[in-house]
Amino acid sequence: MMKIFCIGAISIATMHYSQTFPVNGIPESLKRNADAVIRKDFTIVQINKINEIKYQYNTVTTVLNKDGVAHAIVFIPYEKGDHVYDVKVTVYDEFGKKVKNFSKSDFKDFSNNSQSSFYSDSRILILPYVSVQYPYTIDFSYSTINENTVFIPDFVPFSTINTSLEEAQFKIINKSGIELRTKIYPSQYNYSAVIEKNDSEGKEYMYRNIAAIDEVSLLPQPVKILPKVSFSLAKFNLEGKEGDINSWKEFGIWYYNNILQPVSISTPSIKAEVTSLNLQGSTEDKVKKLYQYMQTKTRYIFVALGIGGWQPMLPDEVHKKGYGDCKGLTNYMRMLLEEAGIPSYYCVINSSPSQVSFDPNFPKMGGNHVILMVPTEKGNIWLENTSQQIAFNHLSYSTTDRNTLLIKKDGIELINTPSYSVEQNNEKQVLTVKINEDNSIDVEGVMSFTGSQYDHVFGYISLSPKEKNEVLKKQFDVLNLEKVEMKDFINDRDKVIAKFQVNFKALNFSKKAGNSLMFRAIPIFSSTIYKSDENRELPFEINQSFEDDYDIDFVIPQNYKIEEIPENFSTTSEFGEYSLKIVKNGDYLKIQRVIKINKGIYTKDKYNSYVNFRKKIINVDNSKILITKI
């Protein structure tokens, strides 16, 4: 939705030094765990007036191996009306010898959107260059002038793992006379620090010698580990619309009047559409009927036109064309509700697997997604409007557990989205497992999913029967499957439950021991391997709480008796709890297994305790049952 600036992909002639950057000049500490090293990342931001901001970028990146290529792709994102100039690219070999020069004419120009169908003013220039030899270094610089001054990028060391940084500088020169607010967010884990300097020209921020973040188990996203510096002008311009952003209230009033109000327009046909639905019952009943109706007649297409890609399409356009993006579909749903006499609120949010919230004390334009909130007497209803199949009043893990900018006529209110409990994020397995004398098993049962676990199987909806079976086969790859079938998939959009029946046959599940058969207590299990790490350098994160609840009935062959079974077991820790209960009655064997895991970011010194907790669970899951022929 907003213009994205490539961190570390930038510069101009005034910052371009006569250096060749041989690879042997990189400290060994920065090569460790790194696929690419950012040698220099210099940015100069010059704010000339409310509607003119100049960016000068210079980045020098050494690619150490093929995995580092993605960290050094040369590209320039821009918007319609931006002036991009002074584009220079120089490629050096391992020893700092110049290999090739490029200019702006060597770049290819594309629409800057990954969607297959879209309308957008966002563009991207890309240099189609890939070296055939490693390591190599790319020195890349360019300048751009933009009339939109509401988007000043954050200054962060880097945004991806396995990238290290030698030196970065961010200088911001304010000649506009407008107050520029800045805020430093230190690393919560002391991974690196910002150096701040003030001079007669402006403010300068620096990072130096920051080692790469290695890809290790349960690693938090870099945004949660690294420091950053944020910037915001007290007065700004967005596509000719000037505004103030001294407070969320003030910014919200501007947003409502300039972004939302001009497109808060219903039509007689929209009114007639709502009337024809004959809405009855509670507010929740009416909202559900309208929402599910809207889902049947619209589809998602990315649209980034109008006031910098922030303003929604007119509701009548969505109504007639049957498509829109998150902005257009959310605003259309808002107008449907308004015609039904139900107030609702347009909410801007940071959608990402990592929970990223807005700072209540630092108002700034941001967010990359829009959802809708409907207040009712029973609580808030949250609507994700971009999916034709998602359940009513359900937000996925990419939008839960964070705050959102709720846009009102009298300003912005920061309000939290739901945070689902362990029990709400549930997977339920009810299985009947028939043990066969040839060591195979025949399994049939029902699997159901709610909360964030509903999100994990939501994609199954669009798959063909064959594709569904292939997904299950991959999911159950710990078993030697002869056949597998998923059938009767149900997406209960009223109760937020996805469920299906499963049937499969697995070979070599049990092992013969004389006249006995031995097999594990839990048939379907995870192949995740948990390893201790005595040298853990960073905290670990469990992204989502969840509960797995298994009811398993074993059917043993005739003329066999149950000889040995595991003892009941339970354990509890700060990371969650686990229990295994076995009921035996003659030839009847029932297992109830429940695991609950608590989300959170935990300090590095607790990592091995978590590993031991999970290993203990795996060992109990792997407990053996022995049956003997009579």
Side-chain angles (χ1 to χ4, degrees), residues 27-61:
E28 289 301 317
S29 61
L30 297 185
K31 292 180 182 178
R32 180 173 172 260
N33 300 323
D35 297 322
V37 181
I38 301 170
R39 315 292 294 277
K40 302 289 180 185
D41 181 3
F42 290 172
T43 303
I44 295 177
V45 180
Q46 183 171 302
I47 307 163
N48 293 323
K49 50 188 177 180
I50 194 170
N51 61 351
E52 183 179 298
I53 187 166
K54 181 178 180 181
Y55 297 93
Q56 302 168 288
Y57 301 125
N58 179 216
T59 293
V60 180
T61 304

Side-chain angles (χ1 to χ4, degrees), residues 190-202:
N190 299 316
Y191 195 79
S192 57
V194 182
I195 302 168
E196 181 182 15
K197 292 198 314 183
N198 294 312
D199 58 32
S200 57
E201 282 192 310

Side-chain angles (χ1 to χ4, degrees), residues 376-392:
T376 76
E377 59 277 6
K378 293 183 179 180
N380 297 333
I381 293 173
W382 294 92
L383 302 179
E384 169 57 65
N385 302 286
T386 59
S387 170
Q388 296 170 298
Q389 298 291 343
I390 200 166
F392 171 71

